[in-house]
Amino acid sequence: MAVRKNNQDILQELLLGKVSTGEPHIQEWIHRTLHYKTDRPVIYVATGTCSITAGVLKTLSAIRQYLEERNITALVVETGCPGFCSAEPLVDIQLPGKNRLSFREITEEKVPFLLDDVLHRIIPTENLLGQYRNPLLDPWKDIPWLEEHPFYSIQRRIVMEKAGILDPSSLEEYVAMGGYRGFIKTLEMYTPAEVCQLVEKSGLRGRAGGGFPVGTKWKTALLTPAPARYFVCNAQESDPGAFTDRLIIESNPHQLLEGLAIGAYAAGAGKAIVYIRSDYTLAIRRLQTALNKSRETGILGHNIFGSGISIDIEIRQGPGAFVCGEETALLASLEGKRGMPRQKPPFPAESGLNNRPTIINNTESLANIPAIVSRGPEWFASTGTAGSKGTKVFSLTGRVINSGIVEVPMGTTLYDIVFKAGEGIPGAKKCKALHIGGSVGYTLPPSLFHTPVDYEALKEAGAAMGSGGLLVFDENTCLVDMSNFFMHFMQKQSCGKCIPCREGTRRISQILDSIIRRPVEKNGHSTLERFKGVMQLESISTVMKETSLCGLGINAPNPVLSTLKWFRDEFEEHIFDRICRAGVCTALRTFSIDADACTGCALCARKCPSNAIIGTERNPFFIVEDKCTACGICYDVCKFNAVIIKP
């Protein structure tokens, strides 16, 4: 009689290659683990940070309550977010023997109606996204494939291949889908130098914005003589609107750990660190769970599977300061010091943490590594362009119908990301501009929307990928105001160590503040002073770029300079005409009262915080323009539409 093996035994046999995935009992275990073979319904609920914000915990509670009240036996699985954030809460349902179905915007009140229908094999078209393709299961008739939905149709997923598919807390599911096989293969078949060469051959370049070849950086640390080396994953991600690292970790933490372990081995580092911002609580919790399970199974730790290789990974939480995303400031933070950058060279790969060679890669870069090792560098290099291989993950936000995380092949145009995956601008409005690269990124006009996602092509267009943020602006966006927002953010995040960055961001913020506000004096001298300030923007920015200590100061002026280059007319309108065409800059508005429409109720005068409205009751009131602060309270409280806004 055969002895029934437990999960731990099967996991180790699979990882060490002692059994083939083609063996019947292993296939059976994989299919059961991944719920391909099941005798009960399986309900998958995406529970990432974005899902929780959209109310998925109430949806999850409603699902469990529904099943309990009706005494229905079903399996409820919490997954990570698949990236379609504007469709949250997302709920998938798989009936025994049938393909998995995906539904969007399933709030708690929709749960009973959805489950009543699907559990009786009635598929409601409302909120239906599509069905997953699985050759082991029977497809639903006349139900579209999920991969054909506009949001997914142009995507090619390597980093996010398992996002929203598996339970991020399950080591078994990750191994059943081929996880950690690349790491074990690395230990058994390659020397550290060969791994560096393999990653070099793949063409993988750093996804943090600089695009430096990853394998070359690893080789530098490996060839630098030292008693010890370190490997750091930079998961700081402090750009406003960028959340790719968070989603990758929340949806598949084991993939990051595997890539980090392979990198540590290749660089000759026995110690690896994930440096992550402390407010990513869900990501930290899931990453710690994955780390604990990997240690318990022997995948990480001392003498891994008897190989003589020891690799330990720990999680270190950062304060969330933007400057700590800069590699030398990050190292200072790890050493217990204030997060401030230092001059380079020496570069961290030569002298980093505790003056030892240290490799720093971001989350997305490392999440590519397992696939490169498992499937080969040629497979990875077959996707992308001549100089930019693989895929790129973007956080698509702003004025776009489908927002979320998209992963597209290198070479995909910005236009396709916005108008195919994003399905364009809501409300039939025009797309005014795209901002790429986060708070130190670039604002691009429609004439550059067909630029491909490629390091060199974007550089020629005067831009860069940066952190992977892609912010869409429609015609109701004031680009001068957005430039001011980015510059104020950078001013607050400057560490203050070097004068060009500290004083440059402050002075540019002051200039932009003066542009988006109505001048106190309406004479030509005031206008000249404001225009002079705009002329200073370029000279101040040049000094910052040439003399700042780190990338924060060097790149801080990018949003302002790119907007000034492509949308100079908006600056001129704010300065000379004193109008904001989008109506966003409220301080440029002028308010007046229509004497014919005013009933003299005096409500506006009573609510005005600056006492700028005068008159007597039952007679028309008037606004004293010199005292008006353009707060707009009078416009909001007037019941007779007597207050008029002049943009």
Short mmCIF file of all heavy atoms in Angstrom, two decimals, residues 596-626:
data_model
loop_
_atom_site.label_atom_id
_atom_site.label_comp_id
_atom_site.label_asym_id
_atom_site.label_seq_id
_atom_site.Cartn_x
_atom_site.Cartn_y
_atom_site.Cartn_z
N ASP A 596 -29.55 92.27 -11.50
CA ASP A 596 -30.91 91.91 -11.87
C ASP A 596 -31.36 90.61 -11.22
O ASP A 596 -32.56 90.44 -10.93
CB ASP A 596 -31.02 91.78 -13.40
CG ASP A 596 -30.80 93.11 -14.10
OD1 ASP A 596 -31.10 94.15 -13.48
OD2 ASP A 596 -30.31 93.10 -15.25
N ALA A 597 -30.42 89.69 -11.00
CA ALA A 597 -30.77 88.40 -10.41
C ALA A 597 -30.73 88.41 -8.89
O ALA A 597 -31.36 87.56 -8.24
CB ALA A 597 -29.85 87.31 -10.94
N CYS A 598 -29.99 89.35 -8.30
CA CYS A 598 -29.82 89.39 -6.84
C CYS A 598 -31.12 89.85 -6.17
O CYS A 598 -31.71 90.87 -6.54
CB CYS A 598 -28.68 90.33 -6.47
SG CYS A 598 -28.37 90.44 -4.69
N THR A 599 -31.57 89.11 -5.16
CA THR A 599 -32.79 89.44 -4.41
C THR A 599 -32.51 90.21 -3.13
O THR A 599 -33.44 90.60 -2.43
CB THR A 599 -33.56 88.16 -4.06
OG1 THR A 599 -32.76 87.35 -3.21
CG2 THR A 599 -33.92 87.38 -5.33
N GLY A 600 -31.20 90.36 -2.81
CA GLY A 600 -30.84 91.06 -1.58
C GLY A 600 -31.06 90.24 -0.34
O GLY A 600 -31.32 90.79 0.74
N CYS A 601 -30.94 88.91 -0.44
CA CYS A 601 -31.14 88.05 0.74
C CYS A 601 -30.02 88.17 1.74
O CYS A 601 -30.15 87.78 2.90
CB CYS A 601 -31.33 86.61 0.31
SG CYS A 601 -29.83 85.85 -0.38
N ALA A 602 -28.85 88.66 1.31
CA ALA A 602 -27.68 88.92 2.17
C ALA A 602 -26.98 87.66 2.64
O ALA A 602 -26.07 87.73 3.47
CB ALA A 602 -28.07 89.78 3.37
N LEU A 603 -27.37 86.48 2.13
CA LEU A 603 -26.71 85.25 2.56
C LEU A 603 -25.24 85.24 2.17
O LEU A 603 -24.38 84.84 2.97
CB LEU A 603 -27.42 84.03 1.95
CG LEU A 603 -26.87 82.65 2.32
CD1 LEU A 603 -26.94 82.44 3.83
CD2 LEU A 603 -27.62 81.54 1.59
N CYS A 604 -24.93 85.73 0.97
CA CYS A 604 -23.54 85.76 0.52
C CYS A 604 -22.70 86.68 1.40
O CYS A 604 -21.54 86.38 1.71
CB CYS A 604 -23.45 86.19 -0.93
SG CYS A 604 -24.17 87.80 -1.28
N ALA A 605 -23.25 87.81 1.80
CA ALA A 605 -22.51 88.76 2.64
C ALA A 605 -22.23 88.18 4.01
O ALA A 605 -21.15 88.38 4.57
CB ALA A 605 -23.30 90.06 2.76
N ARG A 606 -23.20 87.42 4.55
CA ARG A 606 -23.00 86.83 5.87
C ARG A 606 -21.96 85.71 5.84
O ARG A 606 -21.25 85.49 6.83
CB ARG A 606 -24.33 86.29 6.40
CG ARG A 606 -25.31 87.39 6.81
CD ARG A 606 -26.44 86.82 7.65
NE ARG A 606 -27.28 85.89 6.90
CZ ARG A 606 -28.37 86.24 6.22
NH1 ARG A 606 -28.74 87.53 6.21
NH2 ARG A 606 -29.08 85.35 5.58
N LYS A 607 -21.86 85.01 4.72
CA LYS A 607 -20.93 83.88 4.62
C LYS A 607 -19.53 84.30 4.16
O LYS A 607 -18.58 83.53 4.31
CB LYS A 607 -21.48 82.85 3.64
CG LYS A 607 -22.77 82.18 4.09
CD LYS A 607 -22.55 81.29 5.30
CE LYS A 607 -23.82 80.54 5.66
NZ LYS A 607 -23.62 79.65 6.84
N CYS A 608 -19.38 85.50 3.59
CA CYS A 608 -18.08 85.92 3.06
C CYS A 608 -17.05 86.06 4.17
O CYS A 608 -17.22 86.86 5.09
CB CYS A 608 -18.22 87.25 2.32
SG CYS A 608 -16.65 87.83 1.63
N PRO A 609 -15.94 85.30 4.14
CA PRO A 609 -14.95 85.35 5.22
C PRO A 609 -14.09 86.62 5.21
O PRO A 609 -13.43 86.92 6.21
CB PRO A 609 -14.09 84.11 4.96
CG PRO A 609 -14.19 83.89 3.49
CD PRO A 609 -15.57 84.31 3.10
N SER A 610 -14.08 87.34 4.10
CA SER A 610 -13.23 88.53 4.01
C SER A 610 -14.04 89.84 3.98
O SER A 610 -13.48 90.91 3.73
CB SER A 610 -12.34 88.45 2.76
OG SER A 610 -13.14 88.32 1.59
N ASN A 611 -15.35 89.75 4.25
CA ASN A 611 -16.22 90.93 4.26
C ASN A 611 -16.09 91.75 2.97
O ASN A 611 -16.06 92.99 2.99
CB ASN A 611 -15.92 91.83 5.47
CG ASN A 611 -16.18 91.11 6.79
OD1 ASN A 611 -17.19 90.41 6.93
ND2 ASN A 611 -15.28 91.27 7.75
N ALA A 612 -16.02 91.03 1.86
CA ALA A 612 -15.84 91.70 0.57
C ALA A 612 -17.16 92.00 -0.12
O ALA A 612 -17.17 92.61 -1.19
CB ALA A 612 -14.96 90.84 -0.34
N ILE A 613 -18.29 91.59 0.48
CA ILE A 613 -19.60 91.81 -0.13
C ILE A 613 -20.38 92.83 0.70
O ILE A 613 -20.53 92.68 1.92
CB ILE A 613 -20.39 90.49 -0.24
CG1 ILE A 613 -19.58 89.47 -1.06
CG2 ILE A 613 -21.75 90.72 -0.87
CD1 ILE A 613 -20.23 88.11 -1.15
N ILE A 614 -20.83 93.89 0.05
CA ILE A 614 -21.54 94.96 0.74
C ILE A 614 -22.90 95.20 0.09
O ILE A 614 -23.13 94.84 -1.06
CB ILE A 614 -20.73 96.27 0.75
CG1 ILE A 614 -20.46 96.74 -0.70
CG2 ILE A 614 -19.42 96.11 1.51
CD1 ILE A 614 -19.79 98.09 -0.78
N GLY A 615 -23.78 95.84 0.86
CA GLY A 615 -25.11 96.16 0.35
C GLY A 615 -26.12 96.16 1.48
O GLY A 615 -25.79 95.92 2.65
N THR A 616 -27.35 96.45 1.14
CA THR A 616 -28.44 96.43 2.12
C THR A 616 -29.47 95.40 1.69
O THR A 616 -29.66 95.14 0.50
CB THR A 616 -29.11 97.81 2.21
OG1 THR A 616 -29.56 98.20 0.91
CG2 THR A 616 -28.14 98.85 2.75
N GLU A 617 -30.10 94.78 2.67
CA GLU A 617 -31.07 93.73 2.38
C GLU A 617 -32.20 94.24 1.49
O GLU A 617 -32.61 95.39 1.56
CB GLU A 617 -31.63 93.17 3.69
CG GLU A 617 -30.59 92.38 4.49
CD GLU A 617 -31.23 91.60 5.64
OE1 GLU A 617 -32.45 91.38 5.61
OE2 GLU A 617 -30.48 91.20 6.54
N ARG A 618 -32.68 93.31 0.64
CA ARG A 618 -33.74 93.56 -0.34
C ARG A 618 -33.29 94.46 -1.47
O ARG A 618 -34.10 94.94 -2.27
CB ARG A 618 -34.99 94.12 0.34
CG ARG A 618 -35.62 93.18 1.35
CD ARG A 618 -36.96 93.72 1.85
NE ARG A 618 -37.54 92.80 2.82
CZ ARG A 618 -37.28 92.82 4.12
NH1 ARG A 618 -36.45 93.72 4.60
NH2 ARG A 618 -37.85 91.96 4.93
N ASN A 619 -31.97 94.71 -1.54
CA ASN A 619 -31.38 95.47 -2.64
C ASN A 619 -30.17 94.69 -3.15
O ASN A 619 -29.57 93.89 -2.41
CB ASN A 619 -30.94 96.86 -2.18
CG ASN A 619 -32.13 97.75 -1.89
OD1 ASN A 619 -32.83 98.17 -2.80
ND2 ASN A 619 -32.37 98.03 -0.61
N PRO A 620 -29.81 94.89 -4.41
CA PRO A 620 -28.65 94.15 -4.93
C PRO A 620 -27.37 94.40 -4.14
O PRO A 620 -27.11 95.52 -3.70
CB PRO A 620 -28.52 94.68 -6.36
CG PRO A 620 -29.87 95.19 -6.71
CD PRO A 620 -30.44 95.74 -5.43
N PHE A 621 -26.59 93.33 -3.94
CA PHE A 621 -25.30 93.43 -3.24
C PHE A 621 -24.17 93.53 -4.27
O PHE A 621 -24.35 93.24 -5.45
CB PHE A 621 -25.09 92.22 -2.33
CG PHE A 621 -25.79 92.34 -1.00
CD1 PHE A 621 -27.18 92.32 -0.92
CD2 PHE A 621 -25.06 92.48 0.16
CE1 PHE A 621 -27.82 92.43 0.30
CE2 PHE A 621 -25.70 92.59 1.39
CZ PHE A 621 -27.07 92.57 1.46
N PHE A 622 -23.00 93.94 -3.79
CA PHE A 622 -21.85 94.14 -4.67
C PHE A 622 -20.61 93.53 -4.03
O PHE A 622 -20.49 93.45 -2.80
CB PHE A 622 -21.63 95.64 -4.94
CG PHE A 622 -22.80 96.32 -5.57
CD1 PHE A 622 -23.79 96.92 -4.80
CD2 PHE A 622 -22.95 96.33 -6.95
CE1 PHE A 622 -24.89 97.53 -5.37
CE2 PHE A 622 -24.05 96.94 -7.54
CZ PHE A 622 -25.01 97.54 -6.75
N ILE A 623 -19.68 93.09 -4.88
CA ILE A 623 -18.42 92.52 -4.40
C ILE A 623 -17.30 93.53 -4.59
O ILE A 623 -17.10 94.05 -5.69
CB ILE A 623 -18.08 91.22 -5.16
CG1 ILE A 623 -19.14 90.15 -4.89
CG2 ILE A 623 -16.69 90.69 -4.77
CD1 ILE A 623 -18.94 88.87 -5.68
N VAL A 624 -16.58 93.81 -3.49
CA VAL A 624 -15.42 94.69 -3.55
C VAL A 624 -14.24 93.85 -4.01
O VAL A 624 -13.71 93.01 -3.27
CB VAL A 624 -15.13 95.33 -2.18
CG1 VAL A 624 -13.91 96.26 -2.27
CG2 VAL A 624 -16.34 96.08 -1.67
N GLU A 625 -13.84 94.04 -5.24
CA GLU A 625 -12.86 93.17 -5.87
C GLU A 625 -11.52 93.16 -5.15
O GLU A 625 -10.85 92.14 -5.06
CB GLU A 625 -12.66 93.59 -7.34
CG GLU A 625 -11.98 92.54 -8.18
CD GLU A 625 -11.99 92.87 -9.65
OE1 GLU A 625 -13.06 93.22 -10.18
OE2 GLU A 625 -10.91 92.80 -10.27
N ASP A 626 -11.10 94.30 -4.62
CA ASP A 626 -9.81 94.38 -3.94
C ASP A 626 -9.77 93.56 -2.65
O ASP A 626 -8.70 93.13 -2.22
CB ASP A 626 -9.46 95.84 -3.63
CG ASP A 626 -9.15 96.64 -4.89
OD1 ASP A 626 -8.86 96.01 -5.92
OD2 ASP A 626 -9.22 97.88 -4.83
#
